[in-house]
Amino acid sequence: MKSVLLISHGPLAEGMIKTLEMFFGNDIPQLDSLTLKKDDTAEDFRERLLNKVKDLNSGDGIIVFADLLGGTPCNQSIFIDETDVTIIAGMNLPMIMECLGMRYSDSIDVNALVEAGKNGVVNFSEVVAQKKNKKRNRKEKTDE
């Protein structure tokens, strides 16, 4: 099973894991987080990241989800020398949930993870407004 590592500025990655536990239960296997603390240097974070990846990788590879493209956690991931490591920037809950579900199959479709992340971002107010308009139009037709 591929390992999953969430990396972020501050406690976002830790909070994601706490939220994931609501859906997948406590002690999700091979899932961990690493946070960049306010006083960390990029080099401090890089050293902890490289050690975490080495410890977490069970031989099946690892997917690293970074909070922000171009941020220090993401940028420091370029120094990972391990083989079979995939790094995805712009993590969100839908893509990580999709990944945890896919881990039990033979392969993880990284493009599908990115799509799940994109599809999880919607203007919900617009969705609700469209549904209300459809309902209003149906009611008007039946009133005629």
Side-chain angles (χ1 to χ4, degrees), residues 38-90:
K38 193 174 185 178
D39 296 330
D40 282 345
T41 66
E43 293 77 21
D44 292 336
F45 184 82
R46 178 188 321 149
E47 183 177 334
R48 289 194 347 252
L49 175 62
L50 297 177
N51 288 331
K52 182 73 78 172
V53 166
K54 195 175 294 181
D55 292 343
L56 192 58
N57 192 346
S58 65
D60 291 327
I62 187 167
I63 297 181
V64 178
F65 289 95
D67 63 345
L68 182 65
L69 177 64
T72 299
C74 183
N75 291 347
Q76 292 306 307
S77 70
I78 65 172
F79 294 101
I80 298 171
D81 271 344
E82 302 274 325
T83 57
D84 199 15
V85 174
T86 301
I87 301 153
I88 300 174

Side-chain angles (χ1 to χ4, degrees), residues 13-14 17 41 47 61 76 81 83 95 102 106 112 120 130:
E14 295 165 344
I17 290 177
T41 66
E47 183 177 334
Q76 292 306 307
D81 271 344
T83 57
M95 68 173 43
M102 283 182 178
D106 288 338
Q130 289 174 357

Side-chain angles (χ1 to χ4, degrees), residues 63 88 98 102 105 107-115:
I63 297 181
I88 300 174
E98 185 78 13
M102 283 182 178
S105 67
S107 66
I108 294 177
D109 182 346
V110 174
N111 292 326
L113 297 180
V114 172
E115 279 304 307

Side-chain angles (χ1 to χ4, degrees), residues 129-143:
Q130 289 174 357
K131 288 188 183 270
K132 286 180 180 178
N133 283 338
K134 284 182 183 178
K135 187 176 180 181
R136 189 178 311 120
N137 289 341
R138 278 185 289 200
K139 185 177 182 331
E140 288 173 359
K141 284 183 181 178
T142 59
D143 288 346

